Amino acid sequence: MGFILSEIDTVDTITQADFTKNYLNPRRPLVIKGLTKTWPARDKWTPEYLKQVVGDKVVPLYDNSKADPAKPINSATTHMPFNEYIDLIRSTPTELRIFFFNIFKQAPELLNDIVMPKDLMGGFLESMPAMFFGGSNSVTFLHYDIDLPHIFHTHFGGRKHVVLFENKWKRRLYCIPNATYALEDYDVLNPDVQKFPALDGVEGQQVFLEHGDTLFMPTGYWHWMKYLDGSYSLSLRAWDASISRKAASLYNLAIKGGVDSVLKMTLKAGYANYREKLAVKWAEKELRAGKPY
């Protein structure tokens, strides 16, 4: 059977009261198609315009290969001038993608083209907007964000397939211990449930984002993404209102981020193999127990 995926709720617009009651407080994902209708970026951020404002700034690129256990997570595969990379993803399929690029340091005028959705909620980290770019064969591995923000993820210039899971499923997803990402040995779109039985019956949601669509991803949601066209996205991040969530964020950054990177670089493949075996053990235990309830 594999994963059980339902469609994410989609609206054109939504009031603050409805958003808070039905999505923010219960932490449910939502696609808002009309959120960016008044943004200059919706029409202005063409590939040619972004090439013009960023130019030949050399950027790190990542591919779909499994993480090297001897390197920190998110180590770059190669580097390329930004304008050449944009030409690449527009002309040919490629796995190469740009991860968490603060384009606004290179072109601060771009900030004038977006609007923080403060009419829906507060807590936005206005210093941390980031962009993500990908070729039509590129995939973002299954993970949740280590700092546990709410995310408004807006897509531009093509289509993107997104699959989400609540954090309660993390052990059934073969979450790597002391980390915020899953075992990279299964295909999210076609999981082998004979080899990875804990995945069978896991419930998630999916959506195919198009140009201008905004996905609200609540704090702690696992996400997997595939670029169907060479395209790009903007993520706006916001704190959850609860003190406990902020404390969990700081813990993750200090322990799961810092300690994990040190152990990986020190112990290398031995540590990676141990964690993968433990992820399998935990997943099978969770499955036997019938969790999550």
Side-chain angles (χ1 to χ4, degrees), residues 72-84:
I73 190 172
N74 297 325
S75 295
T77 300
T78 187
H79 295 74
M80 183 182 295
F82 179 82
N83 51 5
E84 293 182 16

Side-chain angles (χ1 to χ4, degrees), residues 98-136:
I98 300 177
F99 169 80
F100 214 89
F101 179 36
N102 191 343
I103 196 172
F104 305 100
K105 284 188 176 180
Q106 304 302 316
E109 65 270 27
L110 294 178
L111 286 170
N112 298 324
D113 298 335
I114 64 174
V115 180
M116 296 279 178
K118 296 179 182 178
D119 57 334
L120 293 181
M121 63 173 290
F124 281 94
L125 305 173
E126 298 191 38
S127 64
M128 289 188 65
M131 291 198 71
F132 303 79
F133 296 74
S136 60

Side-chain angles (χ1 to χ4, degrees), residues 8-210:
I8 296 173
D9 287 356
T10 299
V11 298
D12 187 55
T13 61
I14 191 168
T15 66
Q16 182 185 45
D18 285 346
F19 176 74
T20 300
K21 177 183 177 181
N22 296 312
Y23 299 98
L24 179 60
N25 287 347
R27 295 178 180 166
R28 293 177 57 213
L30 176 69
V31 174
I32 310 172
K33 298 188 76 68
L35 185 73
T36 62
K37 282 184 177 178
T38 61
W39 290 18
R42 187 170 179 130
D43 297 319
K44 189 176 179 181
W45 285 10
T46 64
E48 289 302 324
Y49 179 69
L50 295 181
K51 284 170 56 181
Q52 175 187 327
V53 296
V54 179
D56 60 359
K57 163 73 176 178
V58 175
V59 293
L61 302 176
Y62 307 82
D63 62 16
N64 299 346
S65 59
K66 186 174 179 178
D68 184 338
K71 296 179 180 179
I73 190 172
N74 297 325
S75 295
T77 300
T78 187
H79 295 74
M80 183 182 295
F82 179 82
N83 51 5
E84 293 182 16
Y85 172 75
I86 293 297
D87 287 340
L88 173 68
I89 65 172
R90 294 180 67 195
S91 62
T92 187
T94 177
E95 292 185 359
L96 295 175
R97 58 188 175 86
I98 300 177
F99 169 80
F100 214 89
F101 179 36
N102 191 343
I103 196 172
F104 305 100
K105 284 188 176 180
Q106 304 302 316
E109 65 270 27
L110 294 178
L111 286 170
N112 298 324
D113 298 335
I114 64 174
V115 180
M116 296 279 178
K118 296 179 182 178
D119 57 334
L120 293 181
M121 63 173 290
F124 281 94
L125 305 173
E126 298 191 38
S127 64
M128 289 188 65
M131 291 198 71
F132 303 79
F133 296 74
S136 60
N137 281 343
S138 60
V139 171
T140 302
F141 59 84
L142 184 60
H143 71 288
Y144 67 96
D145 283 30
I146 193 169
D147 53 339
L148 300 173
H150 296 297
I151 300 173
F152 285 80
H153 188 78
T154 298
H155 197 59
F156 298 91
R159 299 165 299 147
K160 192 180 204 180
H161 187 189
V162 181
V163 178
L164 302 181
F165 300 96
E166 287 187 68
N167 200 267
K168 69 180 184 179
W169 293 102
K170 70 176 185 178
R171 288 201 169 178
R172 289 276 296 274
L173 292 170
Y174 295 84
C175 178
I176 299 295
N178 199 34
T180 59
Y181 51 94
L183 195 66
E184 297 177 66
D185 297 332
Y186 61 85
D187 180 357
V188 170
L189 292 184
N190 187 30
D192 183 347
V193 295
Q194 297 299 317
K195 187 174 182 181
F196 302 101
L199 300 177
D200 199 22
V202 169
E203 299 171 0
Q205 294 175 276
Q206 67 175 340
V207 68
F208 292 86
L209 294 177
E210 299 177 338

Side-chain angles (χ1 to χ4, degrees), residues 216-289:
F216 168 66
M217 288 190 292
T219 171
Y221 257 76
W222 287 75
H223 43 283
W224 172 95
M225 300 182 177
K226 182 176 183 179
Y227 293 83
L228 303 181
D229 306 296
S231 49
Y232 35 97
S233 304
L234 168 72
S235 280
L236 303 177
R237 308 161 79 80
W239 284 113
D240 185 76
S242 70
I243 298 298
S244 61
R245 210 60 172 171
K246 293 184 177 71
S249 171
L250 295 174
Y251 172 83
N252 280 358
L253 290 168
I255 303 300
K256 290 186 177 179
V259 172
D260 179 60
S261 291
V262 170
L263 290 173
K264 281 183 68 176
M265 295 180 69
T266 303
L267 304 176
K268 298 184 172 57
Y271 177 59
N273 292 335
Y274 166 76
R275 292 196 310 169
E276 290 186 359
K277 291 178 180 178
L278 195 55
V280 171
K281 180 179 178 180
W282 283 357
E284 293 176 350
K285 181 179 179 180
E286 197 91 345
L287 178 63
R288 288 194 300 270

